[in-house]
Amino acid sequence: MRADWRSWRGVTLPWLDVRARWVIRLRGQLANDVLPPTLRLADSGNGFNRGFEQGALLLDQGVGLSSEIHFAKGLRQWWLFLDTSYGELNGDDDLWRQLTSVGVGWQAQLLRREQHQLYSRITLGHPISHRGQGGFDDDGTQLFWSLRYAR
């Protein structure tokens, strides 16, 4: 069983004098069996726990919580985030892992013509905690960059 939940609330940031959105994302998965890698919950990389490299945390069962503050300045959007995940790999050893990271993100619209739009997105995440069985090593601060074309 897999579930994703997302909620947001408008907040005021007095130190920036802007209206912001506080976004909370919760995701989880339950499984009694060892799952193939394609069905495991991926809780690291650009989508979740952005302070760790893509694929560093694949879980058979677990839960992840992300809290973000989004605010806009001009045509650019910024956000601060805190991600944390806990989960287990089923099998002979029943390994468990817990990751937490913090960071900042930026998105800007580079091009807008008629129905064509081009966006650039950069996320900088830093691991602040990683624990678990079976050993785990973080690679330090992670930078993710993407271009998105929308029509």
Side-chain angles (χ1 to χ4, degrees):
M1 181 173 81
R2 177 177 263 177
D4 292 301
W5 178 76
R6 183 180 183 133
S7 178
W8 69 272
R9 175 182 166 85
V11 294
T12 302
L13 300 177
W15 43 277
L16 283 175
D17 195 31
V18 296
R19 188 86 172 137
R21 285 184 309 148
W22 179 27
V23 179
I24 297 174
R25 291 185 300 153
L26 178 66
R27 57 192 273 172
Q29 177 169 297
L30 291 174
N32 291 329
D33 300 321
V34 177
L35 298 175
T38 56
L39 295 179
R40 289 185 173 160
L41 185 63
D43 258 1
S44 62
N46 193 24
F48 221 83
N49 251 317
R50 293 159 275 196
F52 295 88
E53 68 180 328
Q54 192 79 25
L57 185 64
L58 296 174
L59 305 169
D60 290 326
Q61 59 183 358
V63 64
L65 177 68
S66 178
S67 180
E68 303 173 354
I69 298 285
H70 291 249
F71 52 95
K73 284 292 213 179
L75 295 176
R76 293 162 186 82
Q77 181 181 26
W78 294 85
W79 61 95
L80 306 172
F81 63 84
L82 169 74
D83 298 333
T84 189
S85 299
Y86 173 82
E88 299 175 347
L89 281 170
N90 299 328
D92 297 335
D93 297 331
D94 282 341
L95 298 176
W96 66 273
R97 298 259 166 80
Q98 181 273 324
L99 304 178
T100 303
S101 62
V102 297
V104 62
W106 172 84
Q107 178 174 297
Q109 187 174 24
L110 302 177
L111 174 69
R112 183 179 186 148
R113 296 205 178 160
E114 298 175 14
Q115 297 177 353
H116 306 280
Q117 299 172 18
L118 184 64
Y119 295 93
S120 178
R121 181 180 185 124
I122 298 173
T123 305
L124 186 67
H126 184 75
I128 58 173
S129 171
H130 56 90
R131 292 181 283 204
Q133 296 171 316
F136 186 81
D137 219 5
D138 73 70
D139 291 331
T141 302
Q142 298 290 311
L143 175 71
F144 295 100
W145 175 70
S146 65
L147 277 176
R148 186 182 68 156
Y149 172 76
R151 191 173 185 186

